[in-house]
Amino acid sequence: LGLRTLSVIDEALKLIETVTGAALDLDQIPLDNAETFSLLQAGDSLGVFQLESAPMRSLMRSLNPTSFDDIAALVALYRPGPMAANMHNDYADRKNGRKPIEFIHPDAEELLGDTYGLMIYQESVMRMAQKFAGYSLAEADSLRKAMGKKIREAMEKEREKFTTGVVDQGYDQSLAVEMFDIIAQFADYAFNKSHSYGYGYVAYQIAYLKANHPVEYLSALLTSVKSKLESAAVYLNECRLMGIDVEVPDINRSEM
């Protein structure tokens, strides 16, 4: 993907170095920065990659992210599939104690403990197939592909193989049937974890810049939308809400 976002980050880092006299290495920032999480918990993520739409900001306030894992989960959960299955609300409710955390089997806790019993990533589905049905990694990936394509014949072949595998691993037939039904539903919806973490990392870096260097970040952001007046108006208003003065160009003071 060609992302304007990466150019905004680059411009913001140049401005920070110009203003402060010190270069900021964005790959070395702490992933537990309190100001960053305060900004996200409040839903003040306008101008933050992947996290700026109104429904996403509402979900963030409900989810109350407290770790980087939560940010990666947000990227995966805010998709039509997971939202249709109510996974985004289930994750938020389970995380914050509004609903109990449930596992299909006690042995699933070690695989799904960090996502509150929900299979929100394709990799989660693969690990479940390995653990419960004795699949190899290659077989688990074939299962993931079959589910994503929704090919009925391939799915039925996988169902037979999966249920037989679960029973061979010493689990009940009823668990095998229940588990495949759930996995078949989630695999179609589930997002790729490595993709979510990559996007989540960029989103966190930008949230960090906005929380800790708001003037420089919003300057870079406004420069990036100078030809899109409707976007510029939104970000100008965000500056006003944050108490940042945006002055008109001045031939004696402006850089260019």
Side-chain angles (χ1 to χ4, degrees):
L1 298 176
L3 293 177
R4 172 175 55 84
T5 301
L6 302 180
S7 300
V8 175
I9 291 174
D10 188 53
E11 177 69 16
L13 292 176
K14 288 175 183 171
L15 286 171
I16 290 167
E17 187 167 6
T18 299
V19 171
T20 66
L24 172 65
D25 184 349
L26 212 50
D27 288 327
Q28 299 299 322
I29 59 174
L31 289 177
D32 58 355
N33 179 254
E35 291 78 11
T36 303
F37 280 102
S38 292
L39 178 140
L40 294 173
Q41 289 162 5
D44 293 336
S45 53
L46 206 64
V48 177
F49 173 65
Q50 291 284 310
L51 305 179
E52 70 173 338
S53 71
M56 173 60 98
R57 299 202 316 268
S58 175
L59 176 58
M60 269 196 295
R61 286 189 285 268
S62 170
L63 193 146
N64 194 47
T66 51
S67 69
F68 178 71
D69 286 343
D70 288 339
I71 297 170
L74 277 163
V75 173
L77 289 165
Y78 190 71
R79 305 284 160 183
M83 292 173 82
N86 202 43
M87 283 173 66
H88 59 314
N89 289 326
D90 284 344
Y91 186 99
D93 289 343
R94 291 183 182 196
K95 177 189 185 313
N96 293 288
R98 296 186 294 264
K99 279 186 181 174
I101 299 171
E102 298 173 330
F103 298 96
I104 188 170
H105 188 278
D107 290 352
E109 186 168 352
E110 65 174 305
L111 305 181
L112 304 177
D114 58 345
T115 52
Y116 308 102
L118 295 167
M119 284 181 273
I120 65 174
Y121 300 116
Q122 291 176 2
E123 289 86 342
S124 309
V125 171
M126 293 171 66
R127 292 179 74 197
M128 291 287 281
Q130 284 180 273
K131 170 76 176 174
F132 286 95
Y135 276 40
S136 68
L137 270 171
E139 289 171 328
D141 194 44
S142 296
L143 171 69
R144 179 191 63 78
K145 288 176 186 171
M147 289 173 170
K149 290 173 182 171
K150 291 186 180 174
I151 301 170
R152 192 178 295 274
E153 302 82 52
M155 282 291 287
E156 284 312 309
K157 279 184 191 169
E158 287 292 349
R159 176 182 289 277
E160 187 177 335
K161 179 179 176 181
F162 184 91
T163 50
T164 301
V166 172
V167 172
D168 288 346
Q169 293 291 107
Y171 297 101
D172 291 342
Q173 172 81 18
S174 58
L175 177 69
V177 173
E178 182 185 1
M179 192 175 288
F180 190 87
D181 287 343
I182 292 173
I183 286 179
Q185 175 193 8
F186 277 117
D188 180 41
Y189 294 147
F191 210 57
N192 181 313
K193 185 172 186 178
S194 53
H195 189 71
S196 298
Y197 272 68
Y199 266 24
Y201 190 47
V202 175
Y204 179 86
Q205 289 179 322
I206 291 175
Y208 179 92
L209 289 174
K210 186 178 180 185
N212 295 277
H213 301 278
V215 175
E216 294 87 350
Y217 176 66
L218 284 161
S219 296
L221 187 61
L222 281 166
T223 297
S224 77
V225 293
K226 61 180 182 278
S227 59
K228 296 180 182 174
L229 295 184
E230 63 278 5
S231 297
V234 170
Y235 298 139
L236 280 167
N237 188 57
E238 182 74 350
C239 290
R240 291 189 194 100
L241 292 173
M242 295 178 71
I244 297 171
D245 292 330
V246 181
E247 298 182 359
V248 296
D250 184 318
I251 196 168
N252 297 309
R253 294 171 63 211
S254 300
E255 284 193 355
M256 188 178 290

